Amino acid sequence: MHMLSRNATFNPHGQDSSYFLGWQEYEKNPYHEVHNTNGIIQMGLAENQLCFDLLESWLAKNPEAAAFKKNGESIFAELALFQDYHGLPAFKKAMVDFMAEIRGNKVTLDPNHLVLTAGATSANETFIFCLADPGEAVLIPTPYYPGFDRDLKWRTGVEIVPIHCTSSNGFQITETTLEEAYQEAEKRNLRVKGVLVTNPSNPLGTTMTRNELYLLLSFVEDKGIHLISDEIYSGTAFSSPSFISVMEVLKDRNCDKNSEVWQRVHVVYSLSKDLGLPGFRVGAIYSNDDMVVAAATKMSSFGLVSSQTQHLLSAMLSDKKLTKNYIAENHKRLKQRQKNLVSGLQKAGISCLNGNAGLFCWVDMRHLLRSNTFEAEMELWKKIVYEVHLNISPGSSCHCTEPGWFRVCFANLPERTLDLAMQRLKAFVGEYYNVPEVNGRSQSSHLSHSRGQSLTRKWVSRLSFDDRCSIHGR
Amino acid sequence: MLSRKASCDSHGQDSSYFLGWQEYEKNPYDQVKNPNGIIQMGLAENQLSFDRIESWLASNPDALELKRNRESVFRELALFQDYNGFPAFKNEMVEFMANMRGNKVKFDPSKLVLTAGSTSANETLMFCLADPGEAFLLPIPYYPGFDRDLKWRTGVEIVPIKCTSENGYKITESALQEAYQQAQKFNLKVKGVLVTNPSNPLGTTMTRLELNHLIDFAMEKEIHIISDEIYSGTVFNSPSFISIAEALTERNLEDDEVWNRCHIVYSLSKDLGLPGFRVGMIYSNNQTVVSAATKMSSFGLVSSQTQYTLSQMLKDKKFTANYMKENQRRLKRRKEMLVCGLKGAGIRCLESNAGLFCWVDMRHLLRSNTFEAEKELWKKVVCEFGLNISPGSSCHCSEPGWFRMCFANMSEETLMVAMQRVKALVDSTIVHQQTGLSKSRWLKSKWVFQLASYEREPDR
């Protein structure tokens, strides 16, 4: 295939990782409450489906937003022609206001420093194109979102060097792990251009502490490199400690435009998680560096946001009553749903990392592994997908250094489906491992290998007809 | 601290194409509020048929309200981020594209990849077909944006195929070979040829002979052909448009290797006049390309909201058929107005049958047959006579004195004003040439007052 580029024929973007394979299995046999009760329940998709009713009811009351109208007048032609990569001014203003609101208005953001992109996928890639040359590197704390392998490396030629975080301290970033990652890059002859963190974290579902943020800032200051903070989940921080943006910490530390580090701290945002609108492709880059803003703006030509969508969302986000109510209600529902998942897992003798944000839990299934290896993790994952019929994401796909952790999503399915998933898991653990539920802490397991196949059909069918589990309604 | 890409200027954004735009932004013409402002003739937009689309949307509220049979599909769309594209939309798109080609070819939706505009489509194809340092051949003159779109982040080079006014800028066998050899001289591996058909900035469609030369060339060199057919719906006169797909089918090349090396780029920005909606696409028979391009489209997907609205609109075959016909009729009329107005000023254009612009011959107005003189003339046109037109040099034309003038992005009245200014420009240039004195400033205030009372030329 010498006729195509290396990009087209090589596969470094991780699209064949288990993250995507589980998805494929789900597509072949998706669970349906009525038509396919034995199907695979999708718990590998970090979508927020909990608050659509709020948006739908707003749309019903505000038909102009979708109808290309403004103050009763048609603005169709204006929108049809609007392809200015500076973005629709009203929308950018509404976006920065919304972002500030999510940050408790502890920061003020300038719409002129915001660049709109077709989703955070585009924003992240654009940042890498702007900040690093092929062969250079960014440091990313593990575990991280599997999509980064494709988004940040594929067409840019930039390398990712992991900052190895472990469960010993709740996967927090430390000075040591930062230094080690930097030295690892040096050993590999890779020039480090920056650190990219996701805060709140995917897949951990935790917000970064003030201490971690200070550490990061000192580190990038010391090394003279960039900090990209992907804050795509910032609106999903439903529990304390509250979310602290890197922008807030800059202010804390009295870093302003006179300090060098000010220009090297950048934020990525999107409406895909907070508002549950991944289909609308709304992402954004925020940077204090004018040159980065200028370059990113031009690059956004390759992925602009539809003006039709900018208009609709600008009207929506300009409605402060809606945004205030939405943010509060979103937190409330996410918190409740996470609680249900945690409690369901506890009943199966499984614990999670203590999470306060995101659309998923970082689940500890180490005690269910045959051995403390990634092979054993894969084995367990396959059982869960093919036998328990739950698609969850194995930690290895997120580059976790310790086998046995899984990401389980809770906001992309109805509560009763979540309950069913938990029942299946409980039955699986119970039959396979003889592990009783005790105070939510797991006990050592006895594995019964021989039971595999027949078990599946038996208890899966049983559960489908069972009355709703007692977890429901808690 | 930034990448080379971010710090360099090689993306062509400082070319006159963009500079003229900037001048316009500082002082834009408005019939009422700023009659002395600069008239924008450098923007290839199609504003002629919005009324048709607006009225369709008004009669079909479901499309905008995101409903299907009055039931909300908001949730479904909000969550739909599948890079394989909204099936209903792709199905309608391939039919629409086939209709435009007189149904002489049939397209398969599974070979269509949606992208956020053709800007994204073109760059994506570069990423898929060429490595950094490799090259694509492009006939000159070409759309200035290609310098950025095809080269900037991809590291791919463009080598020009020399076309001249001698034969109406047609692509010849020898021009293709020369370009290829030129690339070799620079040690650049040629991966393909990219043509825009109908051509921007020429406004002409490729002849069957040209297409066959192109195909023969691609077969001989074993390289790709990208046919950017973004203006395919703007063909308003004969000869009719022949797509690369048709040319290949005519020669029964479906089983030849070259079939897998021909790719079409399309968009709704020109035909439907919807550049703001960011709807572009790649069509390819090559499964590997489709697969890679599909994954790459993650970096620039089309908003599901927009896919839905347009899928509903394109489903209405009666509407689209009428729209295309009426659009072409209006474009033809408007182009004729421009050609006539220019003729009245003693200026000729390349004979054209498509596009949203004319390729205008102002060589006789140049002080000398040089690009410096072209630049001088261009500055005069923009700054003294208030018309933003695109100089041929920004399109890499090899001959000084040609300019692209757009006609579909303004009202008829504004076009009339523009034509009068052109006449004034020509008069001033002739006077200047005759007397050697610069009377431009005096002339300027004179024609501005004159125009205020000038009556419209009768329709032809």
Side-chain angles (χ1 to χ4, degrees):
Chain A
M1 268 290 156
H2 64 285
M3 276 320 304
L4 303 186
S5 67
R6 281 191 283 270
N7 277 322
T9 49
F10 188 48
N11 230 346
H13 49 77
Q15 204 102 342
D16 298 322
S17 80
S18 48
Y19 180 76
F20 296 99
L21 286 175
W23 204 334
Q24 282 170 31
E25 279 310 303
Y26 164 77
E27 300 260 291
K28 289 192 226 164
N29 180 21
Y31 170 82
H32 189 278
E33 207 171 5
V34 177
H35 305 302
N36 190 18
T37 51
N38 286 354
I40 298 178
I41 296 176
Q42 175 65 284
M43 302 190 86
L45 208 47
E47 284 175 349
N48 182 358
Q49 296 192 26
L50 304 191
C51 293
F52 280 137
D53 57 313
L54 299 179
L55 301 181
E56 277 172 319
S57 89
W58 185 91
L59 282 171
K61 298 195 203 109
N62 297 271
E64 274 203 354
F68 293 131
K69 289 212 173 85
K70 200 176 179 183
N71 305 322
E73 299 274 308
S74 169
I75 51 166
F76 171 74
E78 184 190 317
L79 287 176
L81 293 171
F82 189 85
Q83 55 173 330
D84 183 354
Y85 53 29
H86 292 104
L88 205 63
F91 181 48
K92 296 220 303 191
K93 178 80 182 48
M95 278 290 284
V96 297
D97 285 350
F98 185 62
M99 288 169 73
E101 201 178 340
I102 287 174
R103 287 153 184 72
N105 288 310
K106 295 193 188 120
V107 290
T108 346
L109 301 170
D110 179 355
N112 293 320
H113 286 261
L114 192 78
V115 181
L116 298 172
T117 61
T121 301
S122 180
N124 279 316
E125 194 201 36
T126 296
F127 252 137
I128 300 299
F129 268 125
C130 286
L131 304 180
D133 286 311
E136 296 183 334
V138 280
L139 310 181
I140 305 189
T142 63
Y144 62 75
Y145 162 56
F148 279 156
D149 289 321
R150 175 198 64 190
D151 298 353
L152 309 182
K153 293 169 41 168
W154 192 15
R155 308 190 303 181
T156 61
V158 170
E159 285 301 327
I160 294 176
V161 175
I163 300 163
H164 293 295
C165 301
T166 67
S167 59
S168 65
N169 73 339
F171 295 94
Q172 290 191 25
I173 296 172
T174 63
E175 267 181 282
T176 323
T177 52
L178 282 167
E179 270 306 326
E180 274 172 17
Y182 194 87
Q183 279 157 33
E184 174 64 31
E186 285 196 315
K187 220 189 289 172
R188 287 165 60 182
N189 256 323
L190 297 168
R191 181 169 172 210
V192 175
K193 290 310 271 292
V195 181
L196 189 149
V197 297
T198 306
N199 176 29
S201 161
N202 174 14
L204 302 176
T206 54
T207 49
M208 283 179 81
T209 62
R210 201 173 289 272
N211 195 40
E212 281 177 285
L213 288 161
Y214 282 169
L215 270 174
L216 265 177
L217 269 183
S218 303
F219 181 73
V220 301
E221 216 166 358
D222 178 47
K223 304 291 188 203
I225 60 180
H226 295 274
L227 176 59
I228 300 173
S229 182
D230 185 346
E231 301 185 351
I232 194 180
Y233 289 98
S234 46
T236 68
F238 49 77
S239 235
S240 62
S242 47
F243 167 65
I244 307 167
S245 165
V246 73
M247 289 289 156
E248 191 188 323
V249 173
L250 273 177
K251 227 174 129 190
D252 264 3
R253 300 253 305 241
N254 294 318
C255 298
D256 63 5
K257 52 181 171 299
N258 296 317
S259 60
E260 257 194 56
V261 76
W262 172 262
Q263 306 223 298
R264 293 201 309 268
V265 174
H266 323 279
V267 167
V268 166
Y269 186 55
S270 158
L271 298 181
S272 300
K273 309 296 177 183
D274 296 345
L275 290 191
L277 305 173
F280 288 6
R281 313 316 301 148
V282 181
I285 278 171
Y286 189 91
S287 175
N288 293 315
D289 183 329
D290 288 331
M291 236 174 119
V292 171
V293 171
T297 300
K298 291 174 183 131
M299 280 193 193
S300 70
S301 304
F302 301 109
L304 295 174
V305 180
S306 167
S307 58
Q308 177 188 16
T309 301
Q310 291 192 51
H311 175 66
L312 171 65
L313 295 177
S314 124
M316 212 185 262
L317 295 182
S318 300
D319 185 338
K320 301 296 179 221
K321 201 159 152 238
L322 170 74
T323 57
K324 185 158 176 236
N325 184 38
Y326 183 95
I327 290 172
E329 191 61 24
N330 189 37
H331 286 174
K332 190 165 148 226
R333 296 181 189 185
L334 287 170
K335 183 174 183 175
Q336 180 62 42
R337 194 56 80 78
Q338 188 240 32
K339 216 167 135 210
N340 289 347
L341 174 61
V342 171
S343 138
L345 289 168
Q346 271 177 2
K347 286 195 174 332
I350 297 173
S351 61
C352 303
L353 182 69
N354 209 357
N356 65 324
L359 309 174
F360 32 71
C361 283
W362 189 236
V363 179
D364 186 355
M365 296 199 192
R366 287 177 293 176
H367 60 297
L368 301 178
L369 293 185
R370 188 178 37 80
S371 60
N372 183 26
T373 61
F374 286 111
E375 289 72 34
E377 181 185 278
M378 262 299 112
E379 230 176 80
L380 175 59
W381 176 71
K382 283 190 177 141
K383 279 205 193 83
I384 295 177
V385 173
Y386 295 104
E387 293 176 29
V388 187
H389 285 189
L390 299 180
N391 181 33
I392 63 178
S393 312
S396 51
S397 71
C398 304
H399 300 280
C400 187
T401 46
E402 302 164 53
W405 290 88
F406 290 79
R407 189 192 78 167
V408 180
C409 299
F410 56 71
N412 65 308
L413 67 186
E415 224 171 286
R416 51 189 182 278
T417 312
L418 181 60
D419 294 344
L420 175 61
M422 292 301 97
Q423 287 167 47
R424 286 185 186 178
L425 202 51
K426 179 159 187 267
F428 166 72
V429 171
E431 307 252 18
Y432 235 105
Y433 298 92
N434 290 327
V435 177
E437 173 205 353
V438 175
N439 297 330
R441 288 183 53 77
S442 52
Q443 313 231 303
S444 59
S445 53
H446 301 286
L447 300 179
S448 0
H449 292 284
S450 54
R451 303 230 222 145
Q453 220 68 3
S454 55
L455 262 178
T456 318
R457 281 184 283 280
K458 187 168 122 195
W459 59 256
V460 167
S461 329
R462 201 180 66 206
L463 284 172
S464 310
F465 294 112
D466 260 359
D467 282 345
R468 280 201 199 164
C469 164
S470 59
I471 297 173
H472 176 66
R474 283 236 223 131
Chain B
M1 268 321 299
L2 302 187
S3 67
R4 279 190 284 271
K5 289 180 182 69
S7 343
C8 80
D9 269 339
S10 69
H11 47 74
Q13 204 100 338
D14 296 323
S15 82
S16 49
Y17 180 75
F18 296 100
L19 288 175
W21 206 332
Q22 283 169 30
E23 281 307 303
Y24 164 77
E25 301 260 293
K26 288 191 227 163
N27 180 22
Y29 171 85
D30 183 288
Q31 206 168 357
V32 177
K33 295 185 242 172
N34 189 19
N36 286 355
I38 297 179
I39 296 175
Q40 175 64 285
M41 299 190 86
L43 208 47
E45 284 176 347
N46 181 359
Q47 296 191 25
L48 303 192
S49 305
F50 281 139
D51 57 312
R52 288 294 172 113
I53 298 180
E54 266 177 307
S55 93
W56 186 91
L57 289 170
S59 328
N60 295 271
D62 268 9
L64 287 180
E65 289 170 22
L66 307 183
K67 296 197 171 106
R68 192 185 284 132
N69 303 322
R70 302 268 84 209
E71 295 275 311
S72 172
V73 290
F74 174 75
R75 267 175 220 228
E76 181 191 325
L77 294 175
L79 293 170
F80 188 86
Q81 55 172 332
D82 182 355
Y83 54 29
N84 291 300
F86 201 63
F89 182 49
K90 294 215 311 189
N91 291 336
E92 296 306 333
M93 274 310 311
V94 296
E95 263 197 65
F96 184 65
M97 287 171 72
N99 284 339
M100 206 178 285
R101 288 154 182 73
N103 287 310
K104 293 190 191 127
V105 286
K106 204 164 163 347
F107 294 111
D108 176 353
S110 71
K111 296 180 181 174
L112 192 73
V113 181
L114 300 174
T115 61
S118 66
T119 300
S120 180
N122 279 316
E123 193 201 37
T124 297
L125 273 177
M126 285 298 112
F127 272 124
C128 288
L129 304 179
D131 286 312
E134 296 183 333
F136 258 79
L137 311 180
L138 266 70
I140 50 174
Y142 62 72
Y143 162 57
F146 279 152
D147 288 321
R148 177 197 63 191
D149 299 352
L150 307 181
K151 292 169 41 168
W152 190 18
R153 308 190 304 179
T154 62
V156 172
E157 287 301 329
I158 293 176
V159 175
I161 300 165
K162 274 214 175 72
C163 301
T164 68
S165 58
E166 217 185 295
N167 72 340
Y169 294 92
K170 304 244 189 312
I171 298 171
T172 62
E173 282 176 285
S174 56
L176 285 166
Q177 294 291 348
E178 266 168 42
Y180 191 88
Q181 280 153 34
Q182 186 71 347
Q184 291 195 309
K185 225 190 279 176
F186 283 111
N187 260 323
L188 297 168
K189 182 171 183 201
V190 175
K191 292 312 272 290
V193 182
L194 188 152
V195 296
T196 306
N197 176 28
S199 162
N200 173 12
L202 303 175
T204 53
T205 48
M206 281 177 78
T207 61
R208 192 166 260 108
L209 185 63
E210 282 178 285
L211 287 162
N212 284 331
H213 283 325
L214 189 59
I215 293 171
D216 292 335
F217 181 71
M219 284 170 78
E220 181 206 322
K221 305 291 185 202
E222 292 182 27
I223 58 178
H224 295 271
I225 297 175
I226 298 176
S227 182
D228 185 345
E229 301 186 352
I230 193 180
Y231 289 99
S232 42
T234 67
V235 180
F236 47 76
N237 238 343
S238 60
S240 49
F241 169 64
I242 308 168
S243 164
I244 188 82
E246 191 188 326
L248 287 165
T249 319
E250 245 176 30
R251 287 173 57 165
N252 296 315
L253 290 169
E254 293 93 329
D255 293 321
D256 191 289
E257 268 188 41
V258 74
W259 181 255
N260 289 326
R261 293 199 308 267
C262 291
H263 325 279
I264 295 175
V265 167
Y266 185 56
S267 156
L268 298 181
S269 301
K270 308 296 177 182
D271 296 344
L272 294 189
L274 306 173
F277 290 4
R278 312 317 300 148
V279 181
M281 55 212 80
I282 290 168
Y283 188 88
S284 176
N285 291 308
N286 185 319
Q287 269 318 304
T288 313
V289 172
V290 170
S291 168
T294 299
K295 293 176 182 134
M296 280 191 193
S297 69
S298 304
F299 301 109
L301 295 174
V302 181
S303 167
S304 57
Q305 176 193 15
T306 300
Q307 291 191 55
Y308 181 72
T309 299
L310 294 177
S311 75
Q312 294 296 96
M313 198 169 81
L314 295 180
K315 209 163 93 178
D316 187 340
K317 303 289 182 239
K318 193 155 157 246
F319 167 74
T320 54
N322 280 335
Y323 176 91
M324 294 306 286
K325 220 165 97 199
E326 182 61 16
N327 183 41
Q328 282 156 18
R329 193 190 73 83
R330 295 180 187 187
L331 286 170
K332 180 176 182 176
R333 190 186 127 102
R334 192 58 78 79
K335 179 218 127 171
E336 282 170 358
M337 265 182 81
L338 173 61
V339 170
C340 177
L342 290 171
K343 202 160 157 203
I347 296 176
R348 291 192 328 223
C349 302
L350 181 70
E351 193 159 329
S352 64
N353 62 327
L356 309 173
F357 33 71
C358 283
W359 189 237
V360 182
D361 185 354
M362 292 173 124
R363 290 177 291 176
H364 59 297
L365 300 176
L366 293 185
R367 189 179 36 80
S368 61
N369 182 26
T370 61
F371 286 111
E372 289 71 36
E374 180 186 278
K375 198 90 197 251
E376 230 178 78
L377 176 59
W378 175 71
K379 283 194 177 135
K380 193 169 169 195
V381 173
V382 175
C383 302
E384 291 179 33
F385 289 87
L387 298 175
N388 180 33
I389 62 180
S390 312
S393 50
S394 71
C395 304
H396 300 279
C397 186
S398 54
E399 303 159 76
W402 290 87
F403 290 79
R404 189 191 77 167
M405 279 192 187
C406 298
F407 55 71
N409 64 310
M410 63 188 77
S411 67
E412 260 182 39
E413 290 78 21
T414 308
L415 185 57
M416 298 303 309
V417 173
M419 291 302 92
Q420 288 150 21
R421 290 185 187 183
V422 169
K423 181 122 203 317
L425 159 77
V426 171
D427 290 344
S428 89
T429 311
I430 290 169
V431 168
H432 177 96
Q433 283 166 351
Q434 284 173 349
T435 66
L437 290 172
S438 170
K439 294 209 190 176
S440 55
R441 254 198 214 110
W442 172 79
L443 269 170
K444 188 170 167 203
S445 37
K446 188 172 137 189
W447 63 251
V448 166
F449 289 123
Q450 218 175 47
L451 287 169
S453 52
Y454 199 98
E455 277 182 57
R456 250 183 74 174
E457 221 181 63
D459 287 345
R460 296 264 200 104

